[in-house]
Amino acid sequence: MTDHDHAHDHSELGEMDLRVRALESVLTQKGYIDPAALDVLIDTYQTRIGPRNGARVVARAWVDPAFHDWLMADATAAIASLGYTGRQGEHMVAVANTDDQHHMVVCTLCSCYPWPVLGLPPTWYKSAPYRSRAVKDPRGVLADFGTTLPETTRIRVWDSTAEVRYLVIPQRPAGTEGWSEDELAALVSRDSMIGTRVVEAPSARSAA
């Protein structure tokens, strides 16, 4: 696991969160904002637009060996070549899952997260239980997400920081030979790019 002793760009500020919620309450009471519409907007950026960027990066890496090699060598530049740049995505590192090793990302002190490719961080990523257990018992955390790996698969936990943020490149599932990038990207979930889930084979997804 990487060191985590340097300064963080704290995404969780208790006092600021309270101020934002108070302001939201006032604006809601005055009729300036619609809470339901705000929830939809947040959900769109958290689960749709943001993670779709990362999914396209993964799909390109699956179909283009040269891009995969570039991504492994200089993730920031490779990701930027697809148009995904911005704050909290300046220094990216990509780590690829294999049969022998599985990667998972956590931020043990706050919630550093690659916004340009994954959108807004999920609530569980910022929670104290995930931040502590991901390091102490990564296999148990994976099981909580419904992910069971062979005992022979090593699990490496990467500690995201203000200086470096990680993107997990999940394994391409069997049965997707000849698929287009768009079809492949549709298989990739946000959680698989954090490393808490794997990308399921098409047959498994249809059966579910």
Side-chain angles (χ1 to χ4, degrees):
M1 187 176 68
T2 58
D3 292 334
H4 205 304
D5 296 332
H6 35 72
H8 269 60
D9 176 14
H10 289 274
S11 302
E12 267 189 309
L13 298 177
E15 182 179 352
M16 183 61 70
D17 285 342
L18 291 175
R19 290 181 180 179
V20 170
R21 292 187 182 186
L23 178 59
E24 181 181 333
S25 297
V26 171
L27 294 177
T28 299
Q29 292 172 3
K30 292 183 177 294
Y32 291 127
I33 62 175
D34 178 354
L38 186 61
D39 288 343
V40 170
L41 181 63
I42 292 174
D43 178 70
T44 296
Y45 279 92
Q46 179 171 317
T47 64
R48 301 178 191 176
I49 294 176
R52 288 302 93 202
N53 294 347
R56 291 187 182 96
V57 173
V58 171
R60 176 66 59 84
W62 283 348
V63 302
D64 186 342
F67 181 80
H68 179 277
D69 292 344
W70 186 18
L71 187 65
M72 294 299 105
D74 188 349
T76 304
I79 292 170
S81 75
L82 298 182
Y84 310 134
T85 61
R87 188 172 180 272
Q88 303 205 37
E90 300 92 343
H91 305 290
M92 295 292 302
V93 170
V95 290
N97 286 343
T98 66
D99 289 337
D100 297 323
Q101 184 155 290
H102 181 89
H103 300 280
M104 186 165 67
V105 182
V106 67
C107 178
T108 56
L109 294 184
C110 53
S111 56
C112 294
Y113 192 76
W115 287 32
V117 287
L118 293 186
L120 301 177
T123 300
W124 56 260
Y125 182 84
K126 299 182 288 184
S127 70
Y130 176 77
R131 298 203 312 261
S132 61
R133 288 192 60 223
V135 174
K136 298 176 181 178
D137 181 23
R139 198 172 291 273
V141 171
L142 289 174
D144 290 341
F145 280 85
T147 301
T148 302
L149 300 174
E151 289 297 326
T152 55
T153 300
R154 300 184 304 274
I155 301 174
R156 180 165 186 180
V157 180
W158 296 89
D159 202 351
S160 186
T161 72
E163 286 74 25
V164 179
R165 289 175 170 82
Y166 297 92
L167 177 67
V168 175
I169 308 302
Q171 288 183 278
R172 179 174 177 170
T176 59
E177 296 77 10
W179 284 36
S180 69
E181 282 189 39
D182 287 342
E183 291 172 323
L184 290 169
L187 293 176
V188 182
S189 69
R190 174 199 64 197
D191 292 1
S192 71
M193 292 181 283
I194 298 174
T196 52
R197 294 183 186 273
V198 297
V199 177
E200 298 176 338
S203 58
R205 289 173 64 92
S206 59

